[in-house]
């Protein structure tokens, strides 16, 4: 044992402890030699009193080396923690006892060690793999000393009806077990290969060090053999006792998870969360089984330790942002549906769908909508859907989705809305991360559920033939559930929900990384409804064409008649002027919501409008467009098609919609102020106006490294920084992303948007881009949007992106343009185009070093408008380094 050869380990931590065994498998008076990594004596020598103790337990086939980063972090003089990382008996550098030790024996062994060390609390257990189960067994037996539990990729229960992971099935197979786990080092090598990125050679060598030779690997084989595959296994009862005991464990808990784990997948995380509902959870997207190697878990763990006495999520369920009060009584999200159904408008159309012939193909009155919601609510209730049930809705916008959404909300179920606009890979990642209990979907969605292994029971939308139902794994259908609910003499009264209970998980677009689940409570959903209604004057009697799915669902809550136009809702750019006009005419709509990409295509197809189509659009009084910046020239062209409409472009995000509001006239005024220079701060970005009702805004200034590193919000004009928002309708938390959530609520009471911008002297907000896209050139911090807008004024440019090339701090600025007409291939721009682009950017204060062209900018699927600048930056770096252009 040579501790000096273990990278990341202070040799002073390594020690041997002799422990008297009380285990039934050992003779009376037996003592064992335990190897542990322990910074306690070192802290004592330095005169540091630890806050508490972390008792860290590895799994199979790792050892205490797994926890070295926690030992380093715990040795910090500012807030020291004693960290004891054990090598379980027959594992690591602890004694090989020659005895088969089962789960309960190992729990007892750990208790013997803690007694020998005199641990008396506060103790936080930390466990991984089967060490997680053992650490929890110790926790349940030592509740008087227990202050919390931390878990990384482990399991305490095998879900009924499912098999243990294939990798463990193989390791347990009689033909493989002995050779794979003991005779050879295959099990170790396979486990080490699960690291993302791969382990460094010296780290891999350290992990292998205790297991050189067959005799040193007996514990590895025994650990695998002790996996309780069914109720006949000798350790099944001990595992079940631990699993059930967790339901009564009320201490703080933290789960740090690698979802890319072929062994302990998200279904085991879901089970643990159900048993420890108070747990804070963070899923490190892209990390796997060896999450402690894949990601820095020490920083969030010690951050959690420092704040574990505070409410999780930054803003408690019963608190409000600064300056906000609850003067109005809570009015449920579905209140308008009930009110209109029972009033004089009950027989009027509430929600409609447009068919491919551009005529209404299906509609419900307010009375029918309310009745259908109640029928389905009762059917879902009888099918086991209730408070807290996670229901993933895979249904296109329209009547079915509206009825299902409102039925679920009335039951207190948590609706998971991960739309097809995320793309197949992004959608699958989102659904797996949300771990729904039920998936309600069209046939295509249920096929995807089978193909990608999405969790949850499956309900189809329509009744299906028996064979197809079996093939799709559908238990029942919405049609059948609604019939059961309608036929029931008993009407469930499960429509009261706690205002601060979870209501929905909505997913971000994924345009700047993996889509994040955003958790809303019922109170926050209603605050969003009230903010939209109050800001834009949308109320009962309004008639709305919703070219964007969220607004189709919001319409009934506002009391607005809503219709979905004939378009592919997963591709906003498919909305044509004719389809929009027909949808408007179908319900005499006064309000239109369409994404920027949809507006581009509406303008592009406007010439084909007939007289009736133009007449219909001429009656629209309000157009809303959000999701990406909308250039003033595009809005001006839209205004010609909707001459009497107020064109509004609210700024917001999935986490807070809306945040600000601005009209076309106000945009033009702001542009004039920027051109004349008579308003401090006017210019450099997109002017998005002033805060909506109930919202407050501020910025955290950028430092010289392009980071918003401070914590003091400012509202002074012409100060560029990360935009902060505080409002009643800001999200509750990022779902199972505890680390991300903590970062987003610093300073307390604010949400960090990840966008950068500034205020002008009139109090208007100008958005300059995303924080992750800020360029750090020599002696300058460059934000992209202002220069991009200037370049897009060129007739030969449709879309532009400004990206950084080279190392941060010395980055060169490159412009990537999509030309009109499209360039035949990607690569360096022609000299004449490049010169024009450079001049335009320089007029906006940005010096461009290189200009490249692409046939089409890579944009997000949902909005067809958010350019993937990170992807473009990688491509530009490759091209300018002499690589083949290829496709960005």
């Amino acid at each position: 044992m040579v501790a000096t050869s273990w990278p990341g380990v202070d040799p002073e931590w390594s020690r041997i402890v002799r422990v008297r065994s009380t285990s039934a498998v050992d003779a009376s008076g037996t003592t064992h030699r335990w190897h542990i990594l322990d910074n306690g004596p070192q802290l004592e020598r330095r005169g540091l009193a630890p806050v508490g103790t972390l008792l860290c337990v590895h799994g199979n086939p790792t050892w205490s080396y797994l926890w070295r980063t926690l030992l380093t972090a715990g040795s910090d003089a500012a807030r020291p923690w004693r960290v004891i990382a054990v090598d379980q008996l027959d594992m690591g550098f602890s004694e090989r006892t020659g005895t088969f030790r089962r789960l309960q024996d190992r729990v007892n062994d750990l208790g013997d060690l803690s007694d020998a060390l005199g641990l008396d609390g506060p103790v936080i257990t930390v466990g991984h793999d089967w060490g997680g189960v053992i650490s929890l067994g110790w926790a349940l037996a030592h509740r008087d000393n227990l202050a919390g539990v931390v878990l990384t990729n482990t399991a305490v229960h095998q879900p009924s009806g499912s098999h243990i992971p294939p990798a463990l099935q193989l390791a347990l197979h009689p033909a493989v077990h002995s050779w794979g786990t003991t005779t050879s080092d295959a099990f170790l090598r396979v486990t080490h290969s699960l690291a993302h990125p791969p382990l460094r050679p010296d780290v891999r060598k350290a992990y292998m060090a205790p297991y050189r030779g067959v005799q040193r690997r007996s514990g590895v084989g025994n650990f695998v053999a002790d996996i309780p595959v069914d109720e006949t296994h000798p350790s099944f009862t001990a595992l079940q006792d631990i699993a059930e005991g967790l339901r009564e464990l009320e201490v703080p808990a933290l789960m740090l998870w690698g979802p890319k784990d072929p062994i302990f997948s998200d279904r085991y995380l879901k089970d643990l969360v159900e048993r420890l509902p108070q747990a804070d959870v963070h899923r490190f997207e892209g990390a796997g089984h060896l999450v402690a190697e894949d990601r820095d878990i020490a920083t969030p763990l010690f951050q959690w330790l420092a704040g574990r006495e505070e409410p999780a999520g930054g803003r408690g369920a019963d608190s409000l942002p600064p300056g906000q009060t609850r003067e109005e009584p809570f009015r449920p999200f579905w209140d308008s549906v009930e009110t209109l159904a029972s009033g004089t408008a009950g027989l009027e159309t509430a929600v409609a769908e447009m068919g491919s012939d551009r005529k209404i193909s299906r509609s419900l009155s307010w009375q029918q909508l309310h009745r259908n919601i109640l029928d389905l609510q009762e059917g879902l209730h009888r099918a086991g859907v209730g408070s807290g049930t996670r229901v993933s809705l895979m249904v296109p916008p329209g009547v079915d989705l509206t009825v299902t959404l409102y039925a679920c909300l009335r039951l207190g179920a948590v609706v998971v809305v991960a739309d097809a606009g995320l793309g197949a890979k992004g959608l699958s990642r989102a659904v797996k991360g949300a771990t729904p209990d039920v998936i309600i979907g069209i046939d295509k969605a249920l096929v995807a559920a089978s193909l990608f292994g999405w969790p949850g029971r499956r309900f189809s939308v329509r009744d299906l033939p028996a064979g197809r139902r079996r093939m799709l794994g559908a238990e029942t259908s919405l049609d059948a559930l609604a019939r059961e609910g309608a036929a029931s003499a008993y009407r469930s009264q499960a429509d009261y929900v706690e205002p601060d209970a979870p209501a929905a998980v909505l997913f971000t677009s994924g345009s700047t990384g993996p889509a994040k689940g955003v958790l809303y409570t019922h109170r926050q959903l209603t605050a969003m409804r009230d903010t939209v209604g109050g800001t834009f004057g949308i109320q009962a009697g309004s008639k709305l064409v919703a070219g964007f799915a969220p607004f189709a669902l919001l319409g009934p809550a506002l009391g607005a008649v809503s219709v979905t136009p004939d378009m592919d809702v997963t591709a906003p750019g498919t909305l044509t002027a004719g389809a929009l006009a027909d949808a408007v005419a179908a319900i005499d709509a006064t309000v239109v919501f369409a994404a920027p990409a949809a507006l581009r295509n509406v303008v592009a197809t406007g010439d084909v409008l007939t007289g009736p189509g133009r007449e219909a659009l001429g009656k629209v009084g309000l157009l809303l467009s959000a999701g990406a910046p909308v250039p003033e020239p595009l809005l001006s062209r839209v205004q010609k098609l909707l001459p009497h409409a107020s064109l509004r472009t609210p700024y917001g995000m999935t986490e807070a919609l809306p945040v600000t509001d601005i009209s076309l006239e106000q945009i033009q005024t702001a542009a004039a102020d920027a051109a004349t220079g008579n308003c401090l701060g006017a210019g450099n970005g997109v002017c998005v106006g002033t805060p909506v009702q109930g919202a407050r805004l501020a910025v955290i200034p950028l430092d010289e490294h392009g980071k918003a590193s401070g914590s003091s919000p400012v509202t002074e004009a012409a100060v560029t920084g990360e935009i902060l928002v505080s409002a009643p309708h800001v999200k509750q938390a990022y779902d199972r992303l505890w680390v991300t959530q903590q970062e987003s609520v610093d300073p307390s009471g604010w949400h960090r948007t990840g966008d950068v911008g500034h205020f002008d002297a009139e109090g208007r907000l100008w958005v300059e881009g995303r924080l992750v896209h800020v360029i750090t050139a020599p002696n300058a911090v460059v934000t992209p949007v202002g220069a991009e807008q200037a370049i897009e004024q060129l007739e030969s440019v449709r879309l532009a992106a400004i990206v950084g090339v080279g190392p941060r701090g010395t980055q060169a600025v490159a412009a990537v343009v999509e030309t009109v007409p499209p360039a035949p291939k990607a690569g360096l721009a022609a000299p004449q185009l490049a010169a024009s682009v450079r001049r335009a950017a320089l007029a906006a204060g940005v010096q461009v070093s290189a200009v490249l062209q692409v046939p089409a900018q890579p944009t997000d699927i949902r909005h067809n408008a958010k350019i993937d600048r990170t992807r473009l930056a990688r491509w530009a770096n490759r091209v300018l380094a002499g690589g083949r252009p290829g496709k960005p």
Side-chain angles (χ1 to χ4, degrees):
M1 184 176 70
V2 186
T4 55
S5 65
W6 305 333
V9 172
D10 186 332
E12 191 176 351
W13 299 335
S14 178
R15 54 187 292 222
I16 296 293
V17 180
R18 291 192 173 273
V19 178
R20 182 178 294 274
S21 174
T22 63
S23 177
V25 297
D26 291 323
S28 178
T30 299
T31 62
H32 293 303
R33 288 178 294 103
W34 287 70
H35 173 252
I36 63 175
L37 297 178
D38 179 8
N39 68 347
Q42 187 182 70
L43 294 177
E44 184 177 359
R45 179 176 56 77
R46 294 165 60 195
L48 299 175
V51 176
T53 300
L54 297 184
L55 180 60
C56 305
V57 189
H58 68 86
N60 187 31
T62 56
W63 55 289
S64 57
Y65 185 67
L66 179 73
W67 308 115
R68 62 193 182 281
T69 61
L70 304 189
L71 284 134
T72 299
S75 302
D76 185 350
R79 192 175 178 82
W81 277 77
R82 185 182 185 185
V83 181
I84 300 171
V86 309
D87 282 1
Q88 298 193 61
L89 293 176
D90 302 313
M91 301 292 286
F93 287 101
S94 286
E95 179 181 327
R96 286 352 185 218
T97 66
T99 304
F100 194 112
R101 314 189 82 80
R102 297 202 177 274
L103 172 58
Q104 190 57 55
D105 299 322
R106 292 194 175 280
V107 172
N108 295 339
D109 290 341
L110 190 59
D112 293 339
L113 174 64
S114 66
D115 289 344
L117 294 173
L119 297 188
D120 57 2
V123 176
I124 305 281
T125 60
V126 184
H128 173 252
D129 191 85
W130 290 106
V133 183
I134 293 162
S135 71
L136 291 171
W138 184 95
L140 291 169
H142 296 79
R143 301 189 196 201
D144 290 345
N145 295 333
L146 188 69
V149 297
V150 177
L151 298 171
T152 65
N153 289 64
T154 186
V156 296
H157 174 69
Q158 182 65 31
S160 59
S162 61
H163 301 290
I164 65 172
L168 295 182
Q169 291 183 43
L170 179 63
L172 282 165
H173 195 281
V176 175
H177 175 256
S178 180
W179 174 86
T181 62
T182 307
T183 305
S184 75
D185 59 8
F187 190 74
L188 285 100
R189 293 187 181 278
V190 169
T191 302
H192 299 161
S193 72
L194 299 177
H196 308 280
L199 298 176
R200 296 194 332 250
D202 57 343
V203 171
R204 187 186 296 268
K205 182 178 179 181
Y207 271 117
M208 295 291 289
Y211 301 111
R212 306 264 180 212
V214 174
Q215 297 304 314
R216 300 290 298 172
R217 293 192 288 269
S218 60
V220 175
N222 290 347
F223 238 130
V224 172
D226 196 43
I227 298 172
V229 294
D230 55 41
E231 60 189 18
T232 65
H233 193 281
S235 288
F236 180 82
T237 300
L239 180 63
Q240 188 176 46
D241 288 346
I242 292 171
E244 293 307 309
L246 293 187
R247 300 187 187 279
E248 300 176 0
L249 199 61
E250 297 180 351
V251 296
L254 174 67
M255 300 179 193
L256 301 174
W257 209 263
K260 197 175 180 179
D261 186 346
I263 303 169
F264 299 116
S265 60
D266 278 327
R267 70 181 181 184
Y268 297 105
L269 173 62
K270 179 180 177 66
D271 175 74
L272 286 165
V273 169
E274 289 174 350
R275 295 171 190 277
L276 293 169
Q278 75 274 25
D280 295 310
V281 179
H282 187 85
R283 297 171 69 257
F284 292 93
E285 200 62 59
H289 181 66
L290 295 175
V291 63
E293 293 294 338
D294 295 353
R295 297 292 187 271
D296 169 20
I297 68 166
T299 298
L301 194 158
F302 279 86
Q303 181 185 7
W304 178 80
L305 291 174
R308 72 186 192 281
E309 300 301 326
E310 303 172 4
R315 192 171 89 221
D318 295 323
S319 65
L320 283 173
Q324 303 297 335
T325 60
R326 287 185 184 146
E327 298 177 352
E328 297 294 329
F330 176 73
R331 190 167 64 89
F333 193 71
W334 55 83
D335 186 64
S336 289
V337 177
E338 292 186 352
T339 301
L340 290 167
S342 61
T344 57
L347 297 179
E348 296 176 5
T349 299
V351 58
E353 298 175 8
M354 300 297 290
S356 57
D357 60 356
R358 294 187 183 172
K359 296 179 181 179
I360 291 180
S361 59
R362 192 177 177 201
S363 67
L364 295 177
S365 69
W366 288 106
Q367 287 184 2
Q368 290 170 326
L369 175 61
H370 183 47
R371 185 168 59 249
N372 286 9
I373 290 170
L374 293 180
D375 290 345
L376 183 58
Q377 174 187 339
E378 181 64 28
L380 288 169
H381 177 71
R382 288 171 170 269
V385 176
S387 179
T389 303
R390 288 197 166 203
V391 181
S392 179
L393 302 181
M394 300 280 185
V395 185
V399 171
D400 292 322
L401 181 57
T402 301
V403 170
T404 308
L405 173 80
Y406 284 77
C408 288
L409 289 177
R410 288 176 64 104
L411 282 168
V414 181
V415 295
V416 178
V417 184
D419 61 78
L422 297 176
K425 186 176 180 181
L427 177 60
S428 185
R429 184 191 296 119
V431 175
K432 287 182 177 180
T435 57
D437 301 290
V438 176
I439 293 175
I440 299 177
I442 58 175
D443 288 15
K444 185 178 179 180
L446 298 185
V447 169
S450 298
L451 182 64
F452 295 113
W454 294 344
R457 301 162 62 194
R458 300 172 196 169
F459 300 168
S460 63
V461 176
R462 301 274 83 84
D463 291 330
L464 299 174
R468 185 160 182 77
R469 187 173 66 248
R470 286 192 298 270
M471 183 184 74
L472 296 176
E475 294 182 25
T476 185
S477 68
L478 294 184
D479 287 344
L481 292 171
R483 287 194 298 271
E484 291 174 15
S488 173
Y490 168 74
R491 177 67 68 184
S492 167
Q493 296 300 311
D495 57 353
Y496 171 76
V497 296
E498 290 292 337
D500 297 307
V505 177
L506 313 178
F507 278 84
T508 61
S509 67
S511 59
T512 55
K516 298 184 288 291
V518 179
L519 180 66
Y520 277 89
T521 64
H522 285 271
R523 191 185 301 280
Q524 289 155 348
L525 278 185
T526 60
M528 180 196 297
R529 173 200 65 196
D530 296 343
T531 299
V532 170
T535 299
F536 304 111
I538 304 174
Q539 56 191 351
S542 298
K543 298 180 179 181
L544 167 70
V545 174
F548 190 49
F551 268 75
L553 300 175
L554 194 57
L558 292 165
V561 181
S562 58
V563 63
T564 306
D566 175 29
M567 63 179 295
D568 180 354
V569 293
T570 68
T574 60
L575 179 63
T576 65
L580 176 61
D582 288 339
V584 169
I587 61 169
D588 294 324
T590 54
V591 182
V592 170
F593 186 96
L599 294 185
R600 289 184 185 276
N601 199 48
V602 166
V603 167
T605 57
D607 291 342
V608 302
L609 281 177
T610 61
R614 292 185 180 277
E615 182 180 351
L617 293 183
K619 295 178 181 179
V620 173
L622 173 65
L623 178 131
L624 303 173
S625 186
V630 188
E632 187 275 337
L634 175 59
L635 286 176
S636 295
R637 295 174 68 189
V638 172
Q639 187 75 84
K640 295 178 181 178
L641 290 175
L642 286 75
H644 302 297
S646 172
L647 307 189
R648 312 273 281 274
T649 61
Y651 159 69
M653 57 220 65
T654 307
E655 298 88 339
L657 181 69
V659 172
T660 69
D661 178 42
I662 191 170
S663 68
L664 172 58
E665 293 77 14
Q666 291 168 333
I667 290 172
Q668 292 167 336
T669 299
D673 287 343
T676 59
N678 62 5
C679 178
L680 179 65
N684 188 28
V686 176
C687 184
V688 295
T690 53
V692 296
Q693 65 176 30
R696 297 188 309 134
L697 298 175
V699 300
I700 297 289
L702 298 185
D703 59 23
E704 67 274 17
H705 305 294
K707 304 291 185 181
S709 55
S711 57
S712 298
V714 301
T715 56
E716 287 87 350
V719 176
T720 294
E722 182 178 6
I723 300 167
L724 309 180
V725 59
S726 173
H729 59 284
V730 171
K731 55 95 169 110
Q732 179 71 7
Y734 286 112
D735 187 48
R736 298 178 182 177
L737 291 170
W738 184 84
V739 176
T740 308
Q741 171 63 13
Q742 298 310 300
E743 293 170 348
S744 77
V745 292
D746 179 23
S748 180
W750 293 93
H751 167 67
R752 285 184 178 250
T753 66
D755 290 332
V756 292
H758 67 275
F759 299 101
D760 64 23
E762 295 293 328
R764 297 170 299 204
L765 179 66
W766 294 73
V767 177
E768 302 177 45
R770 294 287 293 169
L771 186 61
V772 294
H773 298 148
V774 170
I775 300 164
T776 53
N779 304 314
V781 172
V782 178
T783 55
V785 172
E788 290 171 350
Q789 283 198 310
I791 295 169
E792 288 174 359
Q793 296 298 314
L794 298 173
E795 290 186 2
S796 57
V797 175
R798 180 176 179 271
L799 291 173
I802 294 291
V803 299
V805 177
R808 291 191 62 82
T810 60
Q811 288 181 308
V813 178
V816 183
V817 297
E818 177 183 329
T819 60
V820 180
K825 61 180 181 179
L828 294 173
Q832 185 176 354
L833 173 61
S836 299
V837 168
R838 287 192 177 95
R839 284 194 298 270
L842 191 59
V846 175
Q847 185 169 346
V848 169
S849 298
V851 180
L852 301 96
Q853 63 183 22
V854 292
Q857 296 280 21
T859 59
D860 69 298
I861 300 172
R862 177 185 289 176
H863 299 286
N864 300 161
K866 294 182 178 180
I867 297 173
D868 190 340
R869 293 177 181 83
T870 303
R871 176 175 164 186
L872 281 180
R874 290 195 299 266
W875 174 78
N877 271 274
R878 184 178 78 240
V879 173
L880 295 175
R884 298 185 63 180
K887 184 179 180 180

